Amino acid sequence: MKKIVVLTGAGMSVESGLKTFRDADGLWENFPVQKVATHEGWLADPTLVTNFYNMLRKKCWGVKPNEGHRLVAALEEKYNVTVVTQNVDNLHEQAGSSKVIHLHGELMKVCSSRDVDDPRYHQQLTPDNCEIEPGTLAGDGSLLRPFIVFFGEAVPNITVAAEEVQEADILVIIGTSLVVYPAAGLVHYVKPGTPIYLIDPSPAIGSGIANLTHIQKGASEGMKELITLLNG
């Protein structure tokens, strides 16, 4: 069974109604990134940061996977599929993808602020219980913080993702500008000759990448075309 690695970015979830962070009307517009998505911001005002992610979770629980998510999950019927996502939502899991690597953390989890990656203190939140009261402590006595990789922090799963890409027979990239590192560097880990499919409506990305087919469409329409190409 051939192995497909699917790398997804914010454009994957746009059709579900989730704004991207960087667009003109995106999520950062009313919340300076330095205040809500950096370690310094967390130290300065953990209450603001906690409430910001409480708000995002409530938005996130109100959306559903789109057809693009569902078509990515359906690839598992014929392929060994790993999804590597830059997104912090859980829409791939909701759509049925069984192996998802989150590069930038998971919005629906909280963790220790002393040791973010200690699984003993990870808590999975639910739609009925998705808000964290500011000041709530983790099991180690530190403040509970969002399980999000803040700007400037290490990306622990990037090595795992790179190993997956190295083993891929096909790489599919959906809805990412390929400018945000370290995720953008994953394309350089493919074996020589590996076909790469880029699904993104923007015409200006992907130039200079070998063996690349650019499907200039959004996630859902692009996935339909990809499946046609793979079945051809």
Side-chain angles (χ1 to χ4, degrees), residues 107-170:
L107 183 59
M108 299 307 165
K109 289 183 180 178
V110 287
C111 60
S112 156
S113 53
R114 183 176 299 143
D115 187 354
V116 173
D117 296 311
D118 190 331
R120 292 178 297 173
Y121 306 118
H122 290 176
Q123 293 183 29
Q124 180 77 46
L125 303 177
T126 65
D128 299 328
N129 180 28
C130 68
E131 292 191 58
I132 295 297
E133 189 70 30
T136 306
L137 301 182
D140 62 356
S142 70
L143 284 176
L144 273 179
R145 64 160 262 187
F147 185 56
I148 298 291
V149 178
F150 289 148
F151 284 94
E153 291 183 331
V155 179
N157 279 338
I158 196 69
T159 303
V160 182
E163 290 169 355
E164 293 285 341
V165 171
Q166 283 177 322
E167 297 174 0
D169 297 303
I170 300 167

Side-chain angles (χ1 to χ4, degrees), residues 12-183:
M12 184 81 229
S13 297
V14 166
E15 291 171 38
S16 293
L18 285 180
K19 290 182 178 180
T20 65
F21 283 97
R22 288 179 173 76
D23 283 351
D25 64 343
L27 292 168
W28 295 136
E29 187 178 37
N30 299 315
F31 296 90
V33 61
Q34 295 84 358
K35 290 188 176 181
V36 294
T38 64
H39 187 65
E40 293 74 20
W42 166 257
L43 293 176
D45 194 344
T47 297
L48 174 71
V49 176
T50 297
N51 285 332
F52 174 75
Y53 289 96
N54 283 340
M55 177 198 72
L56 286 192
R57 278 186 216 103
K58 283 192 283 188
K59 284 180 183 286
C60 212
W61 280 123
V63 302
K64 301 292 182 207
N66 60 56
E67 190 174 11
H69 290 107
R70 292 190 290 272
L71 291 172
V72 168
L75 289 173
E76 295 186 20
E77 295 168 11
K78 293 184 178 180
Y79 301 93
N80 171 12
V81 181
T82 298
V83 176
V84 177
T85 186
Q86 296 166 267
N87 299 335
V88 296
D89 61 56
N90 62 356
L91 295 175
H92 280 298
E93 288 92 339
Q94 285 189 48
S97 287
S98 59
K99 186 173 183 183
V100 183
I101 297 169
H102 285 268
L103 293 180
H104 296 157
E106 298 177 61
L107 183 59
M108 299 307 165
K109 289 183 180 178
V110 287
C111 60
S112 156
S113 53
R114 183 176 299 143
D115 187 354
V116 173
D117 296 311
D118 190 331
R120 292 178 297 173
Y121 306 118
H122 290 176
Q123 293 183 29
Q124 180 77 46
L125 303 177
T126 65
D128 299 328
N129 180 28
C130 68
E131 292 191 58
I132 295 297
E133 189 70 30
T136 306
L137 301 182
D140 62 356
S142 70
L143 284 176
L144 273 179
R145 64 160 262 187
F147 185 56
I148 298 291
V149 178
F150 289 148
F151 284 94
E153 291 183 331
V155 179
N157 279 338
I158 196 69
T159 303
V160 182
E163 290 169 355
E164 293 285 341
V165 171
Q166 283 177 322
E167 297 174 0
D169 297 303
I170 300 167
L171 177 64
V172 180
I173 304 167
I174 308 173
T176 176
S177 61
L178 293 177
V179 297
V180 180
Y181 281 81

